[in-house]
């Protein structure tokens, strides 16, 4: 697999210390490939700037702009890995899992969350937590299939959100409009309280990311957990 030069997620997935951002933020700590779980085409990483304990990222191993652009032959593998990760996180943290993605548009130079590599956030959160995302004139409820996500996104930038009980919604803007950077991070952090930092670049908290990885592999040894 070819690494995209400068992509910190590609580097972390491939175990390239030179551009592994978590490793750079933990100088003096022996290098480790911090992969919690993986399959042939996907890898799970701990999130920098975690909003909650266990905040994790599911990423395609190939450099891809968003899950809406994922090759259709990977959809079945994606569903299997996604379900397995949700189950594992529930077992560790004892609560439901909230998901979100800020997907890039199919074309253009805008990188909405400063990382040009698809990453789906998994947050262990109480089932009762409400992110304030509801079906209306903007948020459209759908069945969660990647085929439908792609159809609804229509090549545009989008936000995907899934509740712990599996209700999926998508938010897009008109072609000329943009969604605020770290959109869902802002919303979820606001709901969690003033002590939670939404901006992962300002508050990366690499030790918490490292601990999320260690906690996972303690429960499920081996990256193919």
């Amino acid at each position: 697999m070819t690494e995209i030069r400068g992509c910190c997620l590609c580097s972390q997935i491939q175990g390239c210390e030179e551009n592994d951002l978590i490793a750079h933020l933990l100088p003096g700590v022996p290098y480790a490939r911090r992969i919690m779980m993986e399959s042939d085409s996907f890898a799970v990483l701990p999130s920098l700037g975690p909003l909650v304990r266990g905040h994790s990222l599911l990423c395609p191993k190939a450099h891809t702009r968003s899950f809406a652009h994922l090759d259709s032959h990977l959809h079945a593998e994606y569903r299997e890995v996604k379900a397995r990760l949700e189950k594992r996180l529930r077992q560790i943290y004892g609560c439901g899992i909230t998901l979100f993605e800020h997907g890039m548009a199919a074309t253009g130079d805008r990188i909405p969350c400063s990382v040009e590599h698809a990453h789906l956030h998994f947050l262990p959160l109480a089932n009762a937590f409400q992110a304030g995302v509801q079906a209306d004139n903007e948020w459209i409820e759908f069945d969660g299939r990647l085929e439908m996500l792609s159809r609804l996104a229509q090549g545009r930038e989008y936000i995907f959100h899934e509740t712990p009980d599996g209700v999926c919604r998508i938010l897009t803007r008109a072609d000329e409009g943009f969604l605020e950077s770290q959109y869902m991070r802002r919303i979820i952090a606001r709901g969690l309280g003033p002590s939670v930092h939404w901006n992962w670049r300002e508050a990366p908290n690499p030790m918490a990311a490292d601990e999320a990885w260690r906690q996972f592999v303690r429960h499920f040894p081996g990256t193919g957990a």
Side-chain angles (χ1 to χ4, degrees):
M1 185 183 304
T2 302
E3 176 190 353
I4 301 299
R5 186 173 178 82
C7 176
C8 58
L9 295 186
C10 281
S11 296
Q12 189 172 343
I13 290 167
Q14 296 185 24
C16 299
E17 182 177 0
E18 180 182 355
N19 194 44
D20 184 322
L21 189 52
I22 293 180
H24 280 199
L25 293 169
L26 292 171
V29 176
Y31 182 72
R33 179 176 177 259
R34 293 175 175 83
I35 299 299
M36 299 157 62
M37 196 177 95
E38 65 183 333
S39 65
D40 290 342
S41 304
F42 298 93
V44 179
L45 293 60
S47 178
L48 281 169
L51 295 170
V52 294
R53 291 174 62 244
H55 187 165
S56 310
L57 306 177
L58 172 61
C59 304
K61 288 184 174 178
H63 192 82
T64 307
R65 291 173 72 94
S66 77
F67 278 86
H69 307 133
L70 198 67
D71 288 344
S72 59
H73 74 277
L74 296 177
H75 288 189
E77 184 181 346
Y78 158 79
R79 290 192 298 271
E80 190 277 329
V81 175
K82 173 178 176 285
R84 185 152 44 103
L85 177 57
E86 288 180 281
K87 179 180 178 180
R88 297 289 193 249
L89 291 173
R90 285 194 187 98
Q91 288 175 305
I92 296 172
Y93 297 101
C95 58
I97 310 300
T98 293
L99 280 66
F100 71 87
E101 180 202 11
H102 196 153
M104 289 182 63
T107 59
D109 298 328
R110 174 173 155 81
I111 305 174
C113 293
S114 65
V115 179
E116 190 186 359
H117 189 128
H119 52 288
L120 180 59
H121 295 254
F122 286 65
L123 280 73
L125 282 165
N127 289 348
F129 179 82
Q130 296 293 322
V133 173
Q134 304 198 6
D136 55 21
N137 291 333
E138 291 194 314
W139 285 96
I140 299 172
E141 190 169 323
F142 73 110
D143 60 13
R145 291 181 300 121
L146 291 182
E147 297 91 339
M148 185 58 68
L149 177 68
S150 179
R151 189 181 307 173
L152 292 169
Q154 298 181 348
R156 296 171 295 186
E157 185 179 323
Y158 66 87
I159 305 289
F160 165 74
H161 176 260
E162 182 175 336
T163 65
D165 55 356
V167 177
C168 300
R169 298 184 176 97
I170 183 175
L171 172 68
T172 61
R173 289 280 187 262
D175 292 340
E176 67 277 7
F178 294 122
L179 293 156
E180 194 173 19
S181 179
Q182 303 191 59
Y183 185 96
M184 285 302 300
R185 280 182 166 273
R186 295 171 189 260
I187 291 175
I188 292 173
R190 192 180 307 131
L192 291 172
S195 65
V196 178
H197 298 280
W198 60 266
N199 191 327
W200 73 269
R201 285 204 173 274
E202 292 181 2
N205 199 355
M207 291 300 296
D210 181 71
E211 177 53 30
W213 165 66
R214 294 181 187 279
Q215 176 86 321
F216 196 96
V217 298
R218 278 196 296 266
H219 280 77
F220 306 106
T223 57

